[in-house]
Amino acid sequence: MSEKFLTLGIETSCDDSGVAILNNDEILCEFLSSQIKDHSKFGGVIPEFAARKHLENLLPLINTALKETKISGRELNLIAVTRGPGLMGSLIVGVQTAKALSQVWNVPLIGVNHLEGHLFAPLVDSKDLKPPFLSLIVSGGHTEIIKVEDFGKYELLGETRDDAAGEAYDKAAKILGLKYPGGPEIEKLSKSGDPKRFNFPVPLKNTDKIEFSFSGLKTALLWQVKKFQENNEEIPINDLCASFQRAVTESLIAKLNLAVKLTGINKISASGGVSANGNLRDALRTSKKFRAWLPEIKRCTDNAVMIAMAGKNEFDRGNYKNEEVIADPSLHQL
Ligand code: KG4
Ligand code: ZN
């Protein structure tokens, strides 16, 4: 049995305050305080409000986590906190809290790239996923395919030219008068819709570059809705949702196939909010071109377990430096 190594993970990059404690790779506890209800009434995340909510939620969550696991702060071996990318105010709450706790408890602190966190999410439950593999990160802010040569050795193969896939879902939902976040709403209505009724474009499907673009797709949806409105016709919302979802999934799968062809790597992991989408999950799981590893649904969206995992892995790779961790909202490349 491996020696005890306790990591406290903290995630506050957007609208979810997440806290988790791991012993090596084993999850001892995980908590998430989602702000979806708070932001939903505004149709999107309000950054200042999100930061204030993290301030209210974070310390009580950490307290609960320590109480529940009967661990004292000083027993921790590592604190891993998301340092970017994300919303400045939200990141600062997490980073400053982590810094203070690390000093008070005398525990090393490591800053984690949120994207590397997502990259680790599928590894939480699938210990058999080993590099090299290709990682599709599809969230509200990012859509990219990364070649994972080894942990810590990443190559960005391609990304979106404009909107991220999650952003496209959120904007499409807004056009259709649905709640934020849009992805789960569109998925729900798609279940009773016809995915072939509208021939929405599958963006950049046939280019020989690994790249995505979703803003044209959103515009195609908007024009379709306008057409129904102008003709005073009822909007076939379920069919629109299903057709939109089909186009997003097809575009992601097309570029994964291309990435497999170009790299010869046929192991795929997917993570980020959009990887919770059932249509995408089915397409990934039934592909004949690659084998896919997916996180549990609850770990597709932002959470602290993935941050703790990524932080511990960085620590093991010798990347801990005894220097100040600084929040960086535009931190991008891994
Ligand atoms: O990874 P995440 O929680 O936050 C970011 O780091 O951005 O992703 C949130 C995004 C939102 O845009 C949301 O609409 C989308 O993921 N999403 C989904 C689903 N669940 C969440 N998109 C499609 N289908 C879903 N079931
Ligand atoms: Zn995220």
Side-chain angles (χ1 to χ4, degrees), residues 114 118 139-141 166-167 169-170 181-184 187 272-274 276-277 300-302:
H114 182 77
H118 275 304
S139 68
E167 193 180 356
Y169 269 110
D170 295 337
E187 178 173 6
V274 180
N277 182 273
C300 291
T301 43
D302 295 345

Side-chain angles (χ1 to χ4, degrees), residues 11 13-14 114-115 118 137 139-142 272-273 300-303 306:
E11 156 63 37
S13 67
C14 188
H114 182 77
L115 295 174
H118 275 304
I137 300 182
S139 68
H142 297 87
C300 291
T301 43
D302 295 345
N303 65 85
M306 66 185 196

Side-chain angles (χ1 to χ4, degrees), residues 198-263:
F198 298 99
N199 191 19
F200 287 135
V202 177
L204 307 175
K205 187 176 179 181
N206 296 315
T207 67
D208 55 7
K209 255 182 89 179
I210 302 171
E211 56 185 348
F212 303 95
S213 166
F214 294 105
S215 74
L217 178 58
K218 170 201 66 196
T219 310
L221 174 76
L222 178 65
W223 283 114
Q224 197 63 63
V225 169
K226 279 200 168 146
K227 218 149 100 190
F228 283 110
Q229 283 168 336
E230 277 161 16
N231 296 336
N232 280 326
E233 286 176 75
E234 197 183 324
I235 295 172
I237 192 159
N238 296 13
D239 293 344
L240 286 167
C241 285
S243 302
F244 181 86
Q245 181 177 261
R246 175 195 49 75
V248 175
T249 296
E250 264 183 42
S251 144
L252 297 172
I253 297 290
K255 293 305 174 181
L256 280 174
N257 288 342
L258 178 62
V260 168
K261 193 170 136 197
L262 294 177
T263 61

Side-chain angles (χ1 to χ4, degrees), residues 1 12 14 16 25 31 36 44 76 89 91 98 102 114 140 155 172 210 219 238 254 267 277 289 314-315 328:
M1 226 181 90
T12 64
C14 188
D16 292 308
D25 287 352
F31 293 101
I36 282 181
L76 294 168
L91 289 167
S102 128
H114 182 77
E155 184 190 344
I210 302 171
T219 310
N238 296 13
K267 295 195 295 182
N277 182 273
K289 301 223 163 90
E314 281 223 27
F315 189 82
D328 182 354

